[in-house]
Amino acid sequence: MKILIVIDSLGSGGAQRIAVYLAKGLVEKGHLVEIFVYNKKYNFFESDFKKLNIKIHSVQRDTNNKLLFGFKIIKNLRSIIMKYDQIISFMHTPSIYASISKFGIKHGKLLVFELSSSNAPVSKFKKLLFYLSCLLSNLVITNSVTETNLMKKKIGLKNKVSTIWNGYNIESMKVNYSSNSQNIKQLLIVGRIAYPKNGVNLLKGLKIFYDNNNWLPEVMWAGREDLDNRSLKMQKEMKIFLKENIHIANKFKFIGEVKNINDLYQSVDALIHPSIYEGLPNVICEAMILGCCVIASNVCDHPVILNDERGLLFDPRSPKSISKSIEEFNAMPIDRRNTIAKKARKFAEENFSLNHMIESFENLT
């Protein structure tokens, strides 16, 4: 089968990471995979696709007019889209472009792969266009049960939406249960420095922890800065907070994009993930696979995958809840932390394999 993946860029986002894994699995199954992007500014994962000998189609931006550039994207995509048996579009805007480009072309199936959330702060106009894209598609796939249930409530989508959880080459990801220090030393955040990641409430939670305990573990945030207005506002508020709370700033570091993130998971005591909404984050799945304990917000599918002592949950809107979860983790005996990590790994092995994700795609189509 000849498959085209449509996505905005090859930047360091969660959707792009899943696109890499999906492409790898499909290629290993014997499918011919190519990719179409229209934002060449970000190329974090470009080398991953090139290693798989995947052809990358791209559109050169030659105008600042968004409407004209949009027409150019559609024109370029439509000129090649009939060559593929299956088109898999990631996220809102690429799915809109893909559905318009395929309109009237009978050959090939369009799969809209939605990885974010219906609760995301997207404009009503874009939400409408995305909804129409879903109606025009052959199938809609989400990576969380929560999002599937939300989308099934929309007219015309009840029987069109399915859940496929993220898939990883787990056999190659060696686990390391290395917790051997009672007081936690390092916490890790992985993801874009963006509005949904809830940075200000996290800092407030860290301050409460410091005020209660008179110490704070080191906290590292790996990821690039998002440049939308809400994210820029959050980043500004975080910088002001850190400037006013030097004792927190001394323990808090932004370390930028990190290519080999697996080493970080295995060098810290836990991943902390404070998002206010999500799909199913790669970072939580990968941490579970690698033996890194997870402390996460009580949203989306997080309670499903982290319950039964596979992780800790908190209310992302409550700094007190964030602080309390860190305190609870710090107070745990080392053997209980390792038990949590082992239970998480077992769950991941049973639910997050790359083979399972690829077979799920093949069975749906």
Side-chain angles (χ1 to χ4, degrees):
M1 186 159 53
K2 193 170 183 180
I3 300 168
L4 180 68
I5 293 174
V6 180
I7 198 165
D8 57 350
S9 77
L10 302 181
S12 59
Q16 285 79 4
R17 185 176 288 275
I18 293 176
V20 171
Y21 295 145
L22 178 61
K24 183 177 186 296
L26 290 169
V27 168
E28 289 175 351
K29 284 274 191 172
H31 301 291
L32 193 155
V33 180
E34 298 181 355
I35 191 163
F36 179 94
V37 299
Y38 54 85
N39 186 344
K40 296 178 68 178
K41 181 179 179 181
Y42 303 108
N43 59 2
F44 188 80
F45 285 114
E46 183 175 350
S47 61
D48 295 84
F49 287 102
K50 287 184 175 179
K51 285 177 185 176
L52 294 167
N53 293 317
I54 290 174
K55 184 176 181 179
I56 300 172
H57 301 269
S58 61
V59 181
Q60 185 67 42
R61 182 155 197 159
D62 54 8
T63 176
N64 290 324
N65 187 303
K66 290 183 180 180
L67 185 60
L68 289 177
F69 185 55
F71 281 129
K72 183 177 181 180
I73 293 168
I74 293 167
K75 180 182 177 182
N76 279 261
L77 185 52
R78 189 172 177 83
S79 70
I80 63 171
I81 209 165
M82 71 287 294
K83 300 176 184 178
Y84 303 92
D85 304 303
Q86 192 177 101
I87 300 95
I88 305 174
S89 61
F90 282 72
M91 305 185 300
H92 286 69
T93 304
S95 295
I96 294 167
Y97 287 139
S99 64
I100 295 173
S101 300
K102 193 181 179 302
F103 187 76
I105 297 175
K106 293 183 179 181
H107 179 71
K109 291 183 177 179
L110 172 62
L111 279 64
V112 168
F113 196 5
E114 173 55 14
L115 305 176
S116 58
S117 168
S118 294
N119 298 320
V122 178
S123 71
K124 290 181 179 180
F125 181 63
K126 183 179 282 189
K127 282 190 175 183
L128 174 61
L129 290 178
F130 178 68
Y131 170 58
L132 293 174
S133 300
C134 293
L135 289 175
L136 290 170
S137 71
N138 296 94
L139 289 168
V140 179
I141 299 169
T142 81
N143 71 336
S144 75
V145 176
T146 306
E147 181 63 16
T148 291
N149 291 337
L150 287 170
M151 293 193 74
K152 279 187 173 183
K153 294 177 182 178
K154 298 176 181 178
I155 298 171
L157 297 183
K158 183 178 180 180
N159 299 316
K160 189 178 277 193
V161 189
S162 300
T163 303
I164 299 179
W165 273 348
N166 305 345
Y168 308 87
N169 191 1
I170 296 177
E171 295 77 12
S172 67
M173 299 170 73
K174 294 182 179 180
V175 68
N176 179 28
Y177 307 113
S178 60
S179 181
N180 54 21
S181 174
Q182 182 54 58
N183 278 349
I184 56 178
K185 295 180 179 179
Q186 286 186 316
L187 296 176
L188 175 67
I189 309 157
V190 180
R192 297 169 294 113
I193 306 170
Y195 164 75
K197 304 306 180 186
N198 199 27
V200 176
N201 276 335
L202 173 66
L203 290 178
K204 289 178 179 178
L206 294 175
K207 184 177 187 301
I208 292 171
F209 181 94
Y210 180 88
D211 291 342
N212 290 343
N213 300 279
N214 202 33
W215 69 277
L216 188 69
E218 291 184 1
V219 182
M220 299 182 291
W221 190 325
R224 63 177 171 83
E225 293 183 346
D226 261 15
L227 301 178
D228 62 278
N229 290 335
R230 286 194 177 196
S231 296
L232 290 172
K233 182 182 177 182
M234 184 200 76
Q235 292 161 21
K236 182 179 180 180
E237 290 174 357
M238 289 183 73
K239 289 174 183 177
I240 292 171
F241 186 96
L242 290 170
K243 187 175 181 179
E244 293 175 347
N245 295 273
I246 299 301
H247 49 294
I248 308 298
N250 289 339
K251 292 289 186 175
F252 195 93
K253 297 178 182 177
F254 295 105
I255 60 174
E257 294 177 324
V258 176
K259 189 68 174 177
N260 191 5
I261 199 70
N262 290 0
D263 290 344
L264 275 181
Y265 288 126
Q266 297 187 329
S267 69
V268 300
D269 295 285
L271 172 81
I272 185 163
H273 194 80
S275 292
I276 53 176
Y277 60 83
E278 275 292 354
L280 179 61
N282 282 303
V283 296
I284 289 182
C285 300
E286 291 168 341
M288 293 172 72
I289 293 168
L290 292 164
C292 177
C293 289
V294 177
I295 307 170
S297 53
N298 189 7
V299 300
C300 195
D301 284 9
H302 297 178
V304 177
I305 65 176
L306 295 176
N307 71 1
D308 193 28
E309 290 199 328
R310 291 189 292 265
L312 285 81
L313 296 166
F314 57 79
D315 176 0
R317 301 287 187 178
S318 168
K320 287 184 180 179
S321 181
I322 295 171
S323 173
K324 185 178 179 182
S325 68
I326 300 172
E327 288 182 340
E328 181 182 349
F329 182 73
N330 185 65
M332 278 184 187
I334 293 171
D335 59 350
R336 188 181 167 203
R337 293 181 199 167
N338 286 331
T339 297
I340 286 173
K342 289 175 182 177
K343 284 186 175 183
R345 169 77 182 201
K346 186 174 186 296
F347 183 89
E349 288 174 342
E350 294 171 352
N351 294 278
F352 299 149
S353 74
L354 181 59
N355 190 56
H356 182 267
M357 180 172 75
I358 300 304
E359 286 184 351
S360 297
F361 265 92
E362 291 179 324
N363 291 338
L364 280 175
T365 58

